[in-house]
């Protein structure tokens, strides 16, 4: 109301808008805002002539025409029966004349308009009065002040339901007793006022059953489509006599769309995430990005989608957000028609193929140093690849969930594999465990034993990185068994190496060294020099942990040399860091400082800020151990900055505290 009310106040500013429009999707509360604001403005004395209201029924099966509306408005002005002019033209003349002669400032509310032809003939020919239009569509062709309404925020939604329950019974303490269920209910309602009203009314009727909010949440979840579940409990009408039903509101907006726009809205509802890039929308529609922009902009003007600008991607096309209830409605339309289901499957295949292609290109770009670009020609820099992965992460993870459905399994499993390096790099371990678990189950169902083994390996690495060493050992053991029975010798070697690292985390040091030795032999047998470098590095770590420093140093130096020989810079960075750790244990402090410096240089080159932060911490510890407190403090502060860039706030806080202790 704070956005609308000031525009209704009398002003001497000649540029003040004469025409106001409240727009938003169906059910967002446009009429309620218009009427409440009108009453408030009249109470302030701004409209001594009161207000005239007409419902244009723009989204009904039989919308009112301007000719019908002018008769209703004349009736409100006292012109009826034999006084009513016999022709439409004279009726409009009479209406405008009466408004022009009306000295008391009046507000004309033209509610629920769907087309300019419904209200343009009704505009008064005077600037003395004000006109307020409500519509689901933005009147871009008119000089009008637009107040666009959006869904409520979560706290406002919870407050709406709480107030509604307390008005009916002040002893109703369900919102206080079930705060989590209350917020879950508001989320299922999409924070849309109409849906929230229906949910509140349903809860009011059930208060004598002693049923909690959680029971309604379960009903809605079980129904699958919130629009259907909420309408089943609809109480009838609201204070303004309008039906409290949700699905018909969405249906009327959908059925008014031209077929190409309706198709785009349906396909957009099938996207993996609630926000979708223009490029992904084009893939869904099997079109180019330019051709989908115009229909998307129309859907945005109709408040069926919302354009979202990404400040991190300057100059890029917008993303498009679909309201949860519109999304649920669109999915139900597709589910109810065999032809639309086939169309939807093809669309999902296209967007999944797009994600697989770009995720593969982005991952390859992360592995390379500055210069050049990926094979797809998309990611000129590593930072661009990371930015794309960061923006698309929610959609990429959601797309992997499609692996549970045919015919998406193979592509979704491949996507999960491409995401592994990025999710580890950014330390999104929860997401990594999720996608690896989905890929493992899907590959098992499809009988792809190599993909299943690879997924078990990824799951094990993620578990090890989150401190779940015992589960990691089990995961790698399962991967190893699958690679053995499927003839994947390179995969078997990697599983041995990963198993060794998990055993090391579990402090099973002798078994860890044995596993790394087994990996080393297999990598040599298949001629995999990069794998051999990995195995030497892992073996060196195990030997160092087992108290065999000289053997550890030899193994780690072999790993470094092999990484350099094959040109794996990130592997070299890790090898230098591991070698430095072993040198520090052997009290070779100067050599350790030099090795950590080489490691840090490469980590910073790759913008691997977590690795850089760890290296700087170790450098700080060495300088602190030899009494160089100022240098140690400087390294801790740099480590804090690196961990902040890596989105590791706990590690950043720890590094900052260590620096403060040396101040």
């Amino acid at each position: 109301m704070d956005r609308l009310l000031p525009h209704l106040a009398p002003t001497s500013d000649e540029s003040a808008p004469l025409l106001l429009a409240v727009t938003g999707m169906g059910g967002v509360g446009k009429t309620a805002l218009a009427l409440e604001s009108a009453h408030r403005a009249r109470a302030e004395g701004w409209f001594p002539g009161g207000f005239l209201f007409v419902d244009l029924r723009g989204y009904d099966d039989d919308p009112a025409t301007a000719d019908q509306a002018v008769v209703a408005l004349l009736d409100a002005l006292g012109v009826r029966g034999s006084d009513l002019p016999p022709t439409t033209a004279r009726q409009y003349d009479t209406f405008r004349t009466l408004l022009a002669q009306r000295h008391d400032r009046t507000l004309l509310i033209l509610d629920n308009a769907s087309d300019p032809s419904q209200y343009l003939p009704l505009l008064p020919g005077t600037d003395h009065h004000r006109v307020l239009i409500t519509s689901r569509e933005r009147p871009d062709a008119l000089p009008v002040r637009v107040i666009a309404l959006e869904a409520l925020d979560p706290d406002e939604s919870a407050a709406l339901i709480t107030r509604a329950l307390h008005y009916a019974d002040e002893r109703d303490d369900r919102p206080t007793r079930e705060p989590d269920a209350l917020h879950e209910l508001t989320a299922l309602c999409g924070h849309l006022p109409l849906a929230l009203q229906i949910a509140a009314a349903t809860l009011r009727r059930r208060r004598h059953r002693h049923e909690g909010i959680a029971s309604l949440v379960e009903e809605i979840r079980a129904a699958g489509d919130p629009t259907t579940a909420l309408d089943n409990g609809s109480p009838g009408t609201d204070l303004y006599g309008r039906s409290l039903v949700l699905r018909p509101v969405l249906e009327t907006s959908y059925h008014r769309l031209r077929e190409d726009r309706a198709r785009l809205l349906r396909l957009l509802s099938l996207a993996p995430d609630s926000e979708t890039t223009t490029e992904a929308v084009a893939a869904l529609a099997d079109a180019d990005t330019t051709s989908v922009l115009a229909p998307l902009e129309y859907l945005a003007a109709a408040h069926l989608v919302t354009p979202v600008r990404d400040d991190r991607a300057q100059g890029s096309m917008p993303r498009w957000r679909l309201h949860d209830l519109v999304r649920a409605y669109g999915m139900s339309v597709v589910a109810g028609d065999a032809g639309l289901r086939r169309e939807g499957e093809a669309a999902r295949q296209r967007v999944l193929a797009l994600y697989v292609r770009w995720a593969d290109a982005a991952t390859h770009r992360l592995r390379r140093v500055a210069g050049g670009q990926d094979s797809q020609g998309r990611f000129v820099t590593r930072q661009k690849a990371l930015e794309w992965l960061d923006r698309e992460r929610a959609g990429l993870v959601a797309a992997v969930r499609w692996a549970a459905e045919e015919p998406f399994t193979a592509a979704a499993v491949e996507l999960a594999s491409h995401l592994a390096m990025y999710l580890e790099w950014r330390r999104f371990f929860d997401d990594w465990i999720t996608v690896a678990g989905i890929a493992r189950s899907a590959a098992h169902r499809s009988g792809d034993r190599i993909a299943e083994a690879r997924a078990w390996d990824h799951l094990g690495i993620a578990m090890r990185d989150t401190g779940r060493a015992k589960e990691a050992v089990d995961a790698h053991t399962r991967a190893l068994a699958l690679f053995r029975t499927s003839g994947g010798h390179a995969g078997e070697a990697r599983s041995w190496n990963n198993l060794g690292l998990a055993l090391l985390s579990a402090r099973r040091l002798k078994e860890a060294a044995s596993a790394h030795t087994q990996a080393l032999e297999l990598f040599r047998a298949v001629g995999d020099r990069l794998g051999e470098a990995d195995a030497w590095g892992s073996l060196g770590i195990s030997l160092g942990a087992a108290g065999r420093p000289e053997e550890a140093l030899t193994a780690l130096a072999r790993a470094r040399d092999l990484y350099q020989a094959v040109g794996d810079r990130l592997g070299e960075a890790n090898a230098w860091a591991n070698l430095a750790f072993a040198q520090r244990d052997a009290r070779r402090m100067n050599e350790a400082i030099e090795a950590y410096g080489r490691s840090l240089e490469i980590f910073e080159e790759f913008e691997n800020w977590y690795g850089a932060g760890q290296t700087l911490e170790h450098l700080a510890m060495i300088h602190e151990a030899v009494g160089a407190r100022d240098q140690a403090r400087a390294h801790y502060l740099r480590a804090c900055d690196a961990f902040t860039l890596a989105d590791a706030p706990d590690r950043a806080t720890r590094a900052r505290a260590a620096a403060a202790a040396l101040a």
Side-chain angles (χ1 to χ4, degrees):
M1 187 174 298
D2 291 341
R3 294 170 59 201
L4 174 59
L5 204 56
H7 296 300
L8 298 177
T11 177
S12 58
D13 184 359
E14 294 183 359
S15 65
L18 305 176
L19 188 59
L20 302 165
V22 177
T23 64
M25 68 178 288
V28 80
K30 300 180 293 296
T31 301
L33 174 65
L35 290 173
E36 181 65 25
S37 298
H39 285 294
R40 187 79 63 86
R42 187 176 184 183
E44 293 286 342
W46 298 343
F47 292 100
F51 59 85
L52 300 172
F53 175 91
V54 62
D55 183 359
L56 297 173
R57 307 191 312 275
Y59 298 89
D60 289 1
D61 293 335
D62 183 25
T65 65
D67 293 351
Q68 293 170 322
V70 75
V71 172
L73 289 167
L74 285 170
D75 183 80
L77 290 168
V79 181
R80 58 180 73 93
S82 60
D83 294 332
L84 185 69
T87 66
T88 301
R90 289 183 59 188
Q91 289 167 3
Y92 282 116
D93 288 341
T94 302
F95 174 65
R96 294 192 184 96
T97 299
L98 287 173
L99 286 181
Q101 294 173 348
R102 194 179 180 93
H103 298 297
D104 289 338
R105 193 169 183 261
T106 303
L107 176 63
L108 175 60
I109 302 176
L110 305 176
D111 185 48
N112 205 17
S114 63
D115 191 273
S117 64
Q118 289 182 288
Y119 55 78
L120 285 178
L122 302 174
L123 300 182
T126 173
D127 60 2
H128 182 54
H129 307 299
R130 290 291 180 270
V131 179
L132 177 57
I133 299 165
T134 72
S135 178
R136 298 181 196 177
E137 298 171 48
R138 201 170 50 234
D140 289 329
L142 294 175
V144 55
R145 171 77 69 181
V146 177
I147 310 295
L149 298 188
E150 304 226 353
L152 304 178
D153 68 34
D155 290 339
E156 291 171 334
S157 299
L160 187 154
I161 290 183
T162 301
R163 284 196 305 271
L165 296 181
H166 285 176
Y167 287 161
D169 184 351
E170 63 185 15
R171 296 167 300 177
D172 193 337
D173 63 347
R174 285 175 292 179
T176 305
R177 285 190 286 109
E178 301 178 80
D180 292 340
L182 174 61
H183 282 89
E184 191 172 359
L185 176 60
T186 62
L188 288 171
C189 291
H191 306 294
L192 189 71
L194 175 58
L196 295 166
Q197 283 181 281
I198 296 171
T202 302
L203 289 170
R204 283 199 301 265
R205 286 202 315 277
R206 296 181 179 187
R207 65 184 181 276
H208 300 300
R209 300 190 205 171
H210 304 292
E211 287 189 2
I213 298 173
S215 65
L216 180 56
V217 168
E218 287 303 314
E219 280 183 33
I220 296 173
R221 287 206 174 281
D225 179 0
T227 63
T228 301
L230 288 167
D231 282 350
N232 285 341
S234 177
T237 59
D238 65 6
L239 292 173
Y240 305 107
R242 297 169 305 175
S243 295
L244 279 177
V245 285
L246 184 57
R247 191 174 181 84
V249 170
L250 300 173
E251 285 175 343
T252 53
S253 293
Y254 171 73
H255 288 305
R256 280 180 50 82
L257 295 173
R258 219 169 59 188
E259 173 50 30
D260 60 328
R261 296 164 182 166
R263 174 179 180 268
L264 192 61
L265 186 67
R266 290 194 304 269
L267 295 178
L268 190 51
S269 73
L270 302 176
D273 193 32
S274 59
E275 282 188 17
T276 310
T277 62
T278 304
E279 183 180 52
V281 175
L284 285 165
D286 198 17
D288 58 71
T289 53
T290 304
S291 63
V292 297
L293 278 174
L296 281 169
E297 287 164 351
Y298 179 88
L299 293 174
H303 292 279
L304 291 169
V305 302
T306 303
V308 181
R309 284 286 175 190
D310 191 341
D311 295 335
R312 298 171 298 177
Q314 295 297 324
S316 67
M317 291 183 179
R319 303 168 71 83
W320 304 90
R321 179 188 300 141
L322 204 59
H323 188 277
D324 289 345
L325 295 180
V326 176
R327 180 182 174 88
Y329 172 76
M331 293 176 69
S332 72
V333 170
V334 173
D337 183 284
L340 297 183
R341 286 198 299 274
R342 288 191 294 272
E343 178 186 61
E345 284 185 1
R348 282 187 167 186
Q349 287 278 39
R350 288 191 296 271
V351 79
L352 191 51
L354 176 82
Y355 281 153
V356 168
R357 185 164 71 252
W358 292 143
D360 183 28
T363 299
H364 277 85
R365 191 66 192 82
L366 291 182
R367 290 193 175 100
R368 299 213 324 276
V369 296
Q373 58 188 20
D374 63 277
S375 60
Q376 301 286 345
R378 180 184 180 101
F379 303 115
V380 178
T381 64
R382 186 182 306 103
Q383 187 60 33
K384 292 294 184 185
L386 278 172
E387 286 174 357
W388 182 83
L389 288 162
D390 286 342
R391 288 196 303 272
E392 299 299 321
R393 176 165 62 101
L396 292 166
V397 172
V400 172
R401 296 183 190 278
W402 292 350
E405 306 172 44
E406 291 291 350
F408 312 117
T409 300
V413 169
E414 184 181 0
L415 178 59
S417 181
H418 291 326
L419 291 176
M421 179 183 180
Y422 161 70
L423 293 173
E424 182 177 26
W425 185 300
R426 285 298 204 205
R427 303 186 66 76
F428 294 135
F429 294 123
D430 288 344
D431 279 350
W432 195 12
I433 289 171
T434 295
V435 300
I438 293 169
R440 177 205 65 202
S441 299
H444 178 78
R445 286 195 308 273
S446 66
D448 187 341
R449 296 296 173 251
I450 295 294
E452 183 183 355
R454 191 180 300 117
W456 271 116
D457 251 348
H458 289 162
L459 193 59
I461 297 169
M463 287 176 168
R464 186 187 79 225
D465 284 339
T466 53
R468 297 158 64 178
K470 185 176 180 181
E471 293 170 88
V473 169
D474 180 63
H476 292 309
T477 301
R478 289 172 179 268
L480 185 58
L482 285 165
F483 277 126
R484 277 175 165 174
T485 57
S486 304
H489 298 301
E492 181 184 348
R494 294 200 178 281
S495 281
W496 273 115
N497 199 46
N498 289 327
L499 175 59
L501 291 171
L503 290 165
L504 179 63
S505 293
R507 304 305 297 167
R508 293 160 63 176
L509 304 182
K510 186 175 181 179
E511 294 171 83
S514 176
H516 292 315
T517 301
Q518 186 71 28
L520 184 59
E521 291 173 359
L522 281 171
F523 280 128
R524 282 174 168 170
V526 298
D528 186 342
R529 298 185 74 199
L530 179 58
E532 186 181 345
D534 290 340
W536 274 118
S538 301
L539 179 60
I541 295 171
S542 295
L543 292 169
R548 298 157 64 180
E550 292 305 319
E551 294 172 85
L553 287 168
T554 299
L556 292 168
R558 292 287 298 274
R560 176 204 58 199
D561 295 344
L562 275 170
Y563 283 126
Q564 289 175 336
V566 299
D568 186 328
R569 294 280 283 163
L570 272 177
E572 182 187 347
N574 284 309
W576 277 116
N578 292 330
L579 184 60
F581 191 89
Q583 289 166 337
R584 190 183 73 178
D585 279 355
R587 309 304 296 170
R588 302 180 185 180
M589 295 304 191
N590 289 334
E591 293 175 63
I593 290 172
E594 182 182 353
Y596 274 132
R598 299 287 293 275
S599 172
L600 178 62
E601 178 183 338
I602 299 173
F603 279 135
E604 290 182 334
E605 179 184 3
F606 274 82
E607 297 171 352
N608 184 332
W609 300 117
Y610 195 85
Q614 288 180 307
T615 303
L616 285 161
E617 266 193 338
H618 287 302
L619 276 168
M621 291 174 189
I622 290 179
H623 283 96
E624 188 175 0
V626 298
R629 293 170 61 86
D630 289 343
Q631 290 172 281
R633 182 173 180 273
H635 282 107
Y636 276 130
L637 290 173
R638 286 182 63 193
C640 175
D641 292 340
F643 283 130
T644 300
L645 288 171
D647 194 26
D650 292 345
R651 295 295 298 269
T653 300
R654 192 171 77 181
R656 189 183 301 109
L662 293 173

